Amino acid sequence: MPRRNDISKILIIGSGPIVIGQSAEFDYSGTQACKALKVEGYEVVLVNSNPATIMTDPEMADRTYVEPLTRQYVEDIIRVEAESNRGGTFALLPTVGGQTALNLAVELSDGGVLEKYGVELIGAQLRAIKKAEDRLLFKDAMTRIGLDVPRSALVNNLKDGLEFSGKIGFPVIIRPSFTLGGTGGGIAYNREELVDILSRGLDLSPVHEVLIEESVLGWKEFELELMRDLADNVIVVCSIENFDPMGVHTGDSITVAPAQTLTDREYQAMRDAAIQVIREIGVETGGSNIQFAVDPHTGRMVVIEMNPRVSRSSALASKATGFPIAKIAAKLAVGYTLDEIPNDITRKTPACFEPTLDYVVVKIPKWQFEKFPGADERLGPQMKSVGEVMAIGRTFKEALLKGVRSLETGKPLEAEKIEPRLLTQRLVTPHPERLQYIRHALGYGYSVKQVAKLTGVDPWFLQQVSDIAAFQAELESSRDGTAEGLRQAKRMGFSDARLGKLLMENGRGAPERVRQLRAREDVRPVYKRVDTCAAEFESFTPYLYSTYEEEDEAAPTERRKIIILGSGPNRIGQGIEFDYCCCHASFALREDGYETVMVNCNPETVSTDYDTSDRLYFEPLTLEDVLAVYEHEAASGAPIGVIVQFGGQTPLNLALPLKAAGVPIIGTSPESIDLAEDRKRFGKLLEELGIPQPPGGMATSVGEALAAANRVGYPVLVRPSYVLGGRAMVIAFDDPTVIRYMNEAVEYSQDRPVLIDHFLEDATEIDVDALCDGKDVIIGGIMQHIEEAGIHSGDSSCVLPAVDIPDHVLRTIREYTFRLARALNVIGLVNVQYAVQREKVYVIEVNPRASRTVPYVSKATGVPLAKIAARLMTGRKLRDLLAEQVERASESGCYGLETGSFYYVKSPVFPWSKFPGVDTVLGPEMKSTGEVMGVAEQFGAAFAKAQIAAGQMLPTSGTAFVSVNERDKRHVEQIARMLVGMGFDLVATHGTADVLERAGFQVERVFKVEEGRPNVVDLIKGDKIHLIINTPQGPDPFFDEKAIRRAAVLRRIPTITTISAARAAVEGIAALQRGELAVHALQELHARRAAVTS
Amino acid sequence: MQAVLALEDGRVFRGKGYGASGDALGEVVFNTSITGYQEIFTDPSYSGQIVVLTNPEIGNYGTNSDDNEAGHPYIEGLVVREFSRISSNWRSEQVADEYLQRFRVPVIADIDTRALVRHIRDHGVMRGMISTSEFDPEKLIARARSIRKMDGTDLARVVSTKEKYEWHKGPVSFGSAAADEPAKFHVVAYDYGIKHNILRMLRGGCCRVTVVPAETSAADVLSLNPDGVFLSNGPGDPEPCTYAQESIRGLLGKAPVFGICLGHQLIGLALGGKTYKLKFGHHGGNHPVKRMASGKIEITAHNHNFAVDPDSLKSSDVEFTHLDLNDNTLEGLRHRSLPLFSVQYHPEAAPGPHDSHYLFNDFAKLMEEWRGK
């Protein structure tokens, strides 16, 4: 069946902000879908609230709405777009934006919106979505077609849950209906746990429904990725086997493709079942993934669940096989059949086939529990990892070890640190460091059989780990540095760093010495292609991975080339924004005629799509692996440059060693980057430039730290040097906090001292992104933080343009930025953070590299900063790229880009619901996983939109609870006046109530938690509070505040923790009350801005 | 144990030996299936061939008696990247290494199998030799060159059963065992190297199955009063199997005929067509085949070096029913007036997807119709 010509316009719904369970993979899938449908000539309309995505680039769709993903806003977009639709069918593709898009499509359909505007769902029909998503319907369907499922029951209350669990026996699995990434799920081993998890699950489920299920804990877990077209052709793109057994969420499992321990008979039975499932559920076109559990002792196979859409696993399957699932799903949705679509990689064969692999792919999740003290680190049915890496090797061992080093976890777990008692516990209870414990257990003489029994991990996988451990032990004693010994080790996947430890007497510079030794012995990696067909056909897309084999298949070309280093696994503080920048660099330089070469190991990203760059090396971002790619590419003798400033801290950490190894880094020099991070030299530079910074010092001991703190004056900001995302930062108000920090919280050394700065209280923080070509400077945006200084910039909402910064202060900021960029000889992007305290501007830090806000500023201004920066690095000039702006800058001294007459607010999104019990207060350590943007003509409305998009529904009426600290009491009156003016009732704790009553407000007094009942938490739980303004009382949050914030998160009540955010919220509420709701396409905003400025 | 693989064109790979020690000589072909190594080991169609598996991890799930496609392995030698020392599967009875050792099949592992596959893809299948005792490349290459070429070689006669026998087992199933259905048809199956799963499928499809040697005449077969005749897969070149072509001509119009693989090629030849050798054959479980009548695609298991030339059958009363979408090889045909059809690929799978199981039902339907006439 050919393309549907009756369709004229297609709306694609994105997945919104990055959250745990729904990450950059949906930017990848959405981008592929947009591109595929645009090429087909359809008018593509996109809505996604996440500005950091590639998909929301204005050229990816015809009309791009960065608007909240709620029924109200999307309905408005549908109304506007339906009105302008001429002639053909208006279709909605809901299957490439994760669970968010699917849920929204169901809501729009159930609400009659699609019918009202004549919108047709394509890719998955409502009936199919409901059948797949509703656990009971799904189970019934499976039983009908004769497939086995775990016994289960849906319950809506505690009583039924307890009764059913009594019948099937503990442990039981609890899965709330319609939540993301298994939010609120858990395993209960006893009645008490059941009551606890069940009540939370019921709470979190939007339909107040939870499935209780027979435990298949410890069974083997598999997933198949399927595609189906309208002609009922079905193919299996990839099989995935989980290293971790059932009980650990797939997103938190190490997974392996293809499946390793199934015979053909068992695999085909699973394939048959999967095909039956997709047909019975009725997913007519597109991708679906189906999960199975297999009893390792009897082979009993049960169906666990199905996603009737493109998923995280499909992104992984696409990267693992080279088969672009989302792109093809989009084409199938508009009528093509699989045999009509060519396989991009072979060009000659059709997409209607099943990829075959001649390598092994391992995905390993990345967790960041260190950011969430108090969070439960045990892994279970609710996903907790923030990112993942994928590694490709010719064997499982090689892929596993490449994956481990891709994680950048720093020091491996050393044997000495493991207590025998803990070892057993760690083996039994899934934990982020389980792999390391397994390795040690095998090293201690546990047998594979014993470890298999304790962990439920398949003995075949354990045998591989055991082989690695045995080889390592052998190498340690033999110190075999011969060519043969080295080759064997490299073939198994050992890194130079590890070999350095094993082979070299003296640890210093050992990896380098191993590398030299390898070079001398000619033990080098070759690069092989991912080609979907195990070399049966010639392949045309250079999607490459390294391995230690005989033949290299990727001879470098003679073209001048740029290598772009990606950002590795997503993590808090280093996420999709950096991938956005890397992709933009590649797009721009491709246009300019360079061959672009991407190096990255994150399967969720657009940068690891095989057609983003001319060449893709799916490789760990370590010095060894990057140098090998460089040497391989440089072998042709063609001119070559390497970009390190777009991928965040990961490639920056490699900048100096790469340069030392002779690699030509383009753009801002690594020395300048280093200078900006070096306190002493940077302080000196600021002094020379006459730019103030908060007084600070450095310390390598407790004594020095106290001395420094007292010299600069409390409060102080204490942090380790060289970090991104504010790892381990605190604001200390007194000596004991500093002492505790130095003793417990951080590791430091002469090389890596602890930094101590005076903390500017009551200051407003400003973020600036600017471009510089060494001579001219253009400021992309001056962003005013809505939370005050002290909240990590990644966790702070901010607004562009600044709302209440006086002109002369803005001028100072521009002037400082200009001077700094010039002084550091920035070629490319620079990000500067300022704090403004009583109209005085201080520099907090300068990062001569791409920042987290680059995509957001680019969306707001319509100027692609990252693309321009990449071009500057190749020697082009701002005078030719932004001629008009440069001219204006030289005339007026105002170097800024325009955002037009609109306000763009960026707001963070937090993973609190995944970490029950963790305090939700914000501070200098970044905790948000993603961001959203709100656009409106007024600041208040833009803020309200951003809050809604972030899942914080600001109330338009009701009761506000207000409790502020001493410092904030002087501001609270103004907030209260506005709230009362808008019809809100006030509830306050005694201290705040005193202040408010004195100011003449009527306030209901409420107990603090320890004072009596009903207290504030009771009110929150009783749904009597609709807005919480609660600023922290001091350096250590009281239990009271924690309880309040915790209860609020569960009830989804907006909780504001700073006065400046409270002001913004109040303005936002006012905007909502006025009913301002207009939606705006980026393309229109940019056109309007261009019209105004020219 | 050291091992060397030498190809007739002089390319040599050095690796580790597993399985049996000794020499293996044969035509080197590659198979791209991810699963099903045991079925591949024991498929008689691989007689005379050394098989390279593109999946780099082999042996993981061991071997078991249910997954054999014949009484013993037929591959001459095995080439893999990584050969598992242990097995892990609830059905495993013997580690793959021990299994191949037991049946005297040499294995070379730890070589760059992808480089080897690319070499074969670019230069075509070629003869080669694995040795765990002789490491002089010149000697090995010379011996590889002395192997009899596959073209023109009749291997069906060699691997076929010498005696007629009845087959009783239905498809392997775990979990709920399939009920033993009473036989509705009597099928006589020619064994040119027949895979057990074909016999299991026929039995499971309500047939009483009598297996006869390759050289059985049409008259002898018809004297068994079959409701249908099945022509099996098998190794080697179909052209020299003139006895089989003659038998097939004797069966035309006398009983419904269903052929698979070599059986299909023999039908093509019997109908006056020609066969030719493919550059590196089709060996894998992921080939898209289009069913011409419906336009539907089946993902199919393939294992053939030869194919029927469709142009050579233009003048005969034959309809082309199946086409390979990767390279347009003819994959199935049906006679317009006589009860006869055949496919080049493997609807019985084992290993491979089950998309084409319906052909066994088609055969049953054909027999039903024939009986009604």
Side-chain angles (χ1 to χ4, degrees), chain A residues 121-146:
Chain A
L121 268 185
I122 56 171
Q125 299 310 308
L126 192 67
R127 191 178 44 81
I129 298 173
K130 288 197 166 161
K131 216 160 150 184
E133 297 278 312
D134 182 311
R135 294 187 186 277
L136 208 58
L137 287 178
F138 182 71
K139 209 184 117 172
D140 286 350
M142 292 306 99
T143 313
R144 199 157 47 242
I145 53 175

mmCIF file of all heavy atoms in Angstrom, chain A residues 121-146:
data_model
loop_
_atom_site.group_PDB
_atom_site.id
_atom_site.type_symbol
_atom_site.label_atom_id
_atom_site.label_comp_id
_atom_site.label_asym_id
_atom_site.label_seq_id
_atom_site.Cartn_x
_atom_site.Cartn_y
_atom_site.Cartn_z
ATOM 1 N N LEU A 121 -6.638 9.313 14.538
ATOM 2 C CA LEU A 121 -5.460 8.724 15.181
ATOM 3 C C LEU A 121 -4.796 7.787 14.186
ATOM 4 O O LEU A 121 -5.454 6.931 13.608
ATOM 5 C CB LEU A 121 -5.881 7.897 16.386
ATOM 6 C CG LEU A 121 -5.929 8.535 17.762
ATOM 7 C CD1 LEU A 121 -6.261 7.462 18.794
ATOM 8 C CD2 LEU A 121 -4.607 9.199 18.107
ATOM 9 N N ILE A 122 -3.496 7.953 13.976
ATOM 10 C CA ILE A 122 -2.783 6.993 13.124
ATOM 11 C C ILE A 122 -1.664 6.353 13.935
ATOM 12 O O ILE A 122 -1.195 6.924 14.916
ATOM 13 C CB ILE A 122 -2.215 7.633 11.832
ATOM 14 C CG1 ILE A 122 -1.300 8.827 12.158
ATOM 15 C CG2 ILE A 122 -3.329 8.056 10.897
ATOM 16 C CD1 ILE A 122 -0.548 9.351 10.946
ATOM 17 N N GLY A 123 -1.274 5.175 13.543
ATOM 18 C CA GLY A 123 -0.192 4.484 14.258
ATOM 19 C C GLY A 123 -0.705 3.526 15.303
ATOM 20 O O GLY A 123 -0.146 2.466 15.490
ATOM 21 N N ALA A 124 -1.738 3.901 16.000
ATOM 22 C CA ALA A 124 -2.360 2.975 16.958
ATOM 23 C C ALA A 124 -3.782 3.445 17.182
ATOM 24 O O ALA A 124 -4.025 4.646 17.328
ATOM 25 C CB ALA A 124 -1.600 2.960 18.274
ATOM 26 N N GLN A 125 -4.699 2.520 17.156
ATOM 27 C CA GLN A 125 -6.086 2.888 17.394
ATOM 28 C C GLN A 125 -6.385 2.882 18.883
ATOM 29 O O GLN A 125 -5.753 2.164 19.655
ATOM 30 C CB GLN A 125 -7.019 1.917 16.653
ATOM 31 C CG GLN A 125 -6.820 1.927 15.145
ATOM 32 C CD GLN A 125 -6.836 3.345 14.577
ATOM 33 O OE1 GLN A 125 -7.758 4.109 14.838
ATOM 34 N NE2 GLN A 125 -5.806 3.701 13.835
ATOM 35 N N LEU A 126 -7.353 3.682 19.249
ATOM 36 C CA LEU A 126 -7.715 3.835 20.648
ATOM 37 C C LEU A 126 -8.003 2.483 21.305
ATOM 38 O O LEU A 126 -7.549 2.201 22.413
ATOM 39 C CB LEU A 126 -8.948 4.733 20.747
ATOM 40 C CG LEU A 126 -9.234 5.200 22.163
ATOM 41 C CD1 LEU A 126 -8.139 6.125 22.638
ATOM 42 C CD2 LEU A 126 -10.578 5.878 22.232
ATOM 43 N N ARG A 127 -8.739 1.660 20.577
ATOM 44 C CA ARG A 127 -9.119 0.362 21.107
ATOM 45 C C ARG A 127 -7.853 -0.448 21.455
ATOM 46 O O ARG A 127 -7.759 -1.060 22.508
ATOM 47 C CB ARG A 127 -9.933 -0.357 20.021
ATOM 48 C CG ARG A 127 -10.641 -1.609 20.429
ATOM 49 C CD ARG A 127 -11.427 -2.160 19.232
ATOM 50 N NE ARG A 127 -10.631 -2.125 17.999
ATOM 51 C CZ ARG A 127 -9.709 -3.039 17.669
ATOM 52 N NH1 ARG A 127 -9.495 -4.062 18.452
ATOM 53 N NH2 ARG A 127 -9.016 -2.937 16.545
ATOM 54 N N ALA A 128 -6.876 -0.394 20.545
ATOM 55 C CA ALA A 128 -5.635 -1.139 20.761
ATOM 56 C C ALA A 128 -4.852 -0.575 21.945
ATOM 57 O O ALA A 128 -4.324 -1.318 22.768
ATOM 58 C CB ALA A 128 -4.787 -1.107 19.497
ATOM 59 N N ILE A 129 -4.796 0.750 22.027
ATOM 60 C CA ILE A 129 -4.062 1.377 23.129
ATOM 61 C C ILE A 129 -4.672 0.925 24.451
ATOM 62 O O ILE A 129 -3.984 0.509 25.378
ATOM 63 C CB ILE A 129 -4.116 2.921 23.033
ATOM 64 C CG1 ILE A 129 -3.447 3.398 21.740
ATOM 65 C CG2 ILE A 129 -3.453 3.565 24.248
ATOM 66 C CD1 ILE A 129 -3.594 4.886 21.477
ATOM 67 N N LYS A 130 -5.987 0.980 24.518
ATOM 68 C CA LYS A 130 -6.655 0.633 25.783
ATOM 69 C C LYS A 130 -6.458 -0.830 26.120
ATOM 70 O O LYS A 130 -6.239 -1.185 27.270
ATOM 71 C CB LYS A 130 -8.131 0.973 25.691
ATOM 72 C CG LYS A 130 -8.345 2.486 25.711
ATOM 73 C CD LYS A 130 -9.754 2.856 26.035
ATOM 74 C CE LYS A 130 -9.819 4.337 26.384
ATOM 75 N NZ LYS A 130 -11.182 4.864 26.287
ATOM 76 N N LYS A 131 -6.517 -1.660 25.095
ATOM 77 C CA LYS A 131 -6.367 -3.083 25.335
ATOM 78 C C LYS A 131 -4.952 -3.410 25.828
ATOM 79 O O LYS A 131 -4.751 -4.296 26.643
ATOM 80 C CB LYS A 131 -6.625 -3.824 24.022
ATOM 81 C CG LYS A 131 -7.335 -5.148 24.177
ATOM 82 C CD LYS A 131 -7.951 -5.494 22.845
ATOM 83 C CE LYS A 131 -8.041 -6.976 22.626
ATOM 84 N NZ LYS A 131 -8.548 -7.276 21.284
ATOM 85 N N ALA A 132 -3.975 -2.695 25.320
ATOM 86 C CA ALA A 132 -2.594 -2.953 25.717
ATOM 87 C C ALA A 132 -2.295 -2.350 27.084
ATOM 88 O O ALA A 132 -1.538 -2.907 27.864
ATOM 89 C CB ALA A 132 -1.637 -2.387 24.680
ATOM 90 N N GLU A 133 -2.902 -1.194 27.364
ATOM 91 C CA GLU A 133 -2.535 -0.448 28.571
ATOM 92 C C GLU A 133 -3.344 -0.879 29.788
ATOM 93 O O GLU A 133 -2.871 -0.792 30.909
ATOM 94 C CB GLU A 133 -2.751 1.046 28.331
ATOM 95 C CG GLU A 133 -1.883 1.623 27.237
ATOM 96 C CD GLU A 133 -0.497 1.946 27.729
ATOM 97 O OE1 GLU A 133 -0.395 2.589 28.781
ATOM 98 O OE2 GLU A 133 0.474 1.540 27.077
ATOM 99 N N ASP A 134 -4.570 -1.282 29.549
ATOM 100 C CA ASP A 134 -5.400 -1.699 30.655
ATOM 101 C C ASP A 134 -5.039 -3.137 31.015
ATOM 102 O O ASP A 134 -5.214 -4.054 30.217
ATOM 103 C CB ASP A 134 -6.875 -1.597 30.241
ATOM 104 C CG ASP A 134 -7.801 -1.971 31.381
ATOM 105 O OD1 ASP A 134 -7.607 -3.026 32.027
ATOM 106 O OD2 ASP A 134 -8.736 -1.205 31.616
ATOM 107 N N ARG A 135 -4.513 -3.299 32.205
ATOM 108 C CA ARG A 135 -3.935 -4.597 32.546
ATOM 109 C C ARG A 135 -4.954 -5.730 32.498
ATOM 110 O O ARG A 135 -4.623 -6.844 32.105
ATOM 111 C CB ARG A 135 -3.281 -4.524 33.914
ATOM 112 C CG ARG A 135 -2.103 -3.590 33.879
ATOM 113 C CD ARG A 135 -1.315 -3.606 35.156
ATOM 114 N NE ARG A 135 -0.276 -2.598 35.112
ATOM 115 C CZ ARG A 135 0.903 -2.791 34.537
ATOM 116 N NH1 ARG A 135 1.175 -3.946 33.978
ATOM 117 N NH2 ARG A 135 1.796 -1.836 34.522
ATOM 118 N N LEU A 136 -6.175 -5.435 32.878
ATOM 119 C CA LEU A 136 -7.173 -6.479 32.898
ATOM 120 C C LEU A 136 -7.570 -6.887 31.481
ATOM 121 O O LEU A 136 -7.629 -8.067 31.149
ATOM 122 C CB LEU A 136 -8.402 -6.006 33.684
ATOM 123 C CG LEU A 136 -9.204 -7.116 34.354
ATOM 124 C CD1 LEU A 136 -8.333 -7.909 35.307
ATOM 125 C CD2 LEU A 136 -10.395 -6.519 35.095
ATOM 126 N N LEU A 137 -7.812 -5.887 30.649
ATOM 127 C CA LEU A 137 -8.156 -6.170 29.250
ATOM 128 C C LEU A 137 -7.020 -6.946 28.593
ATOM 129 O O LEU A 137 -7.240 -7.879 27.829
ATOM 130 C CB LEU A 137 -8.392 -4.864 28.477
ATOM 131 C CG LEU A 137 -9.676 -4.090 28.765
ATOM 132 C CD1 LEU A 137 -9.707 -2.797 27.947
ATOM 133 C CD2 LEU A 137 -10.892 -4.943 28.455
ATOM 134 N N PHE A 138 -5.796 -6.536 28.905
ATOM 135 C CA PHE A 138 -4.627 -7.171 28.315
ATOM 136 C C PHE A 138 -4.559 -8.637 28.722
ATOM 137 O O PHE A 138 -4.367 -9.528 27.907
ATOM 138 C CB PHE A 138 -3.356 -6.434 28.727
ATOM 139 C CG PHE A 138 -2.100 -6.994 28.108
ATOM 140 C CD1 PHE A 138 -1.852 -6.812 26.762
ATOM 141 C CD2 PHE A 138 -1.188 -7.702 28.865
ATOM 142 C CE1 PHE A 138 -0.700 -7.333 26.175
ATOM 143 C CE2 PHE A 138 -0.040 -8.231 28.295
ATOM 144 C CZ PHE A 138 0.203 -8.043 26.940
ATOM 145 N N LYS A 139 -4.757 -8.851 29.999
ATOM 146 C CA LYS A 139 -4.689 -10.205 30.521
ATOM 147 C C LYS A 139 -5.764 -11.088 29.891
ATOM 148 O O LYS A 139 -5.501 -12.220 29.494
ATOM 149 C CB LYS A 139 -4.869 -10.146 32.037
ATOM 150 C CG LYS A 139 -4.179 -11.255 32.754
ATOM 151 C CD LYS A 139 -4.479 -11.200 34.222
ATOM 152 C CE LYS A 139 -5.221 -12.480 34.539
ATOM 153 N NZ LYS A 139 -5.448 -12.717 35.931
ATOM 154 N N ASP A 140 -6.951 -10.532 29.782
ATOM 155 C CA ASP A 140 -8.043 -11.282 29.157
ATOM 156 C C ASP A 140 -7.695 -11.644 27.719
ATOM 157 O O ASP A 140 -7.935 -12.766 27.271
ATOM 158 C CB ASP A 140 -9.334 -10.452 29.146
ATOM 159 C CG ASP A 140 -9.936 -10.372 30.538
ATOM 160 O OD1 ASP A 140 -9.445 -11.112 31.430
ATOM 161 O OD2 ASP A 140 -10.866 -9.577 30.740
ATOM 162 N N ALA A 141 -7.131 -10.654 27.021
ATOM 163 C CA ALA A 141 -6.772 -10.883 25.623
ATOM 164 C C ALA A 141 -5.750 -12.007 25.513
ATOM 165 O O ALA A 141 -5.836 -12.867 24.640
ATOM 166 C CB ALA A 141 -6.241 -9.604 24.991
ATOM 167 N N MET A 142 -4.780 -12.009 26.425
ATOM 168 C CA MET A 142 -3.737 -13.035 26.383
ATOM 169 C C MET A 142 -4.332 -14.418 26.641
ATOM 170 O O MET A 142 -3.996 -15.395 25.984
ATOM 171 C CB MET A 142 -2.662 -12.742 27.443
ATOM 172 C CG MET A 142 -1.831 -11.488 27.171
ATOM 173 S SD MET A 142 -1.076 -11.463 25.545
ATOM 174 C CE MET A 142 -2.199 -10.435 24.644
ATOM 175 N N THR A 143 -5.204 -14.472 27.613
ATOM 176 C CA THR A 143 -5.826 -15.755 27.932
ATOM 177 C C THR A 143 -6.631 -16.255 26.733
ATOM 178 O O THR A 143 -6.610 -17.433 26.398
ATOM 179 C CB THR A 143 -6.748 -15.587 29.160
ATOM 180 O OG1 THR A 143 -6.016 -14.852 30.149
ATOM 181 C CG2 THR A 143 -7.151 -16.921 29.737
ATOM 182 N N ARG A 144 -7.319 -15.311 26.068
ATOM 183 C CA ARG A 144 -8.134 -15.672 24.915
ATOM 184 C C ARG A 144 -7.299 -16.328 23.808
ATOM 185 O O ARG A 144 -7.739 -17.256 23.159
ATOM 186 C CB ARG A 144 -8.832 -14.417 24.381
ATOM 187 C CG ARG A 144 -10.028 -14.691 23.509
ATOM 188 C CD ARG A 144 -10.987 -13.515 23.452
ATOM 189 N NE ARG A 144 -10.341 -12.246 23.208
ATOM 190 C CZ ARG A 144 -10.363 -11.211 24.045
ATOM 191 N NH1 ARG A 144 -11.010 -11.296 25.183
ATOM 192 N NH2 ARG A 144 -9.752 -10.091 23.748
ATOM 193 N N ILE A 145 -6.087 -15.825 23.595
ATOM 194 C CA ILE A 145 -5.286 -16.424 22.518
ATOM 195 C C ILE A 145 -4.373 -17.532 23.043
ATOM 196 O O ILE A 145 -3.453 -17.975 22.367
ATOM 197 C CB ILE A 145 -4.453 -15.358 21.754
ATOM 198 C CG1 ILE A 145 -3.607 -14.509 22.720
ATOM 199 C CG2 ILE A 145 -5.358 -14.473 20.924
ATOM 200 C CD1 ILE A 145 -2.681 -13.533 22.019
ATOM 201 N N GLY A 146 -4.643 -17.958 24.251
ATOM 202 C CA GLY A 146 -3.957 -19.139 24.765
ATOM 203 C C GLY A 146 -2.563 -18.891 25.296
ATOM 204 O O GLY A 146 -1.772 -19.819 25.416
#
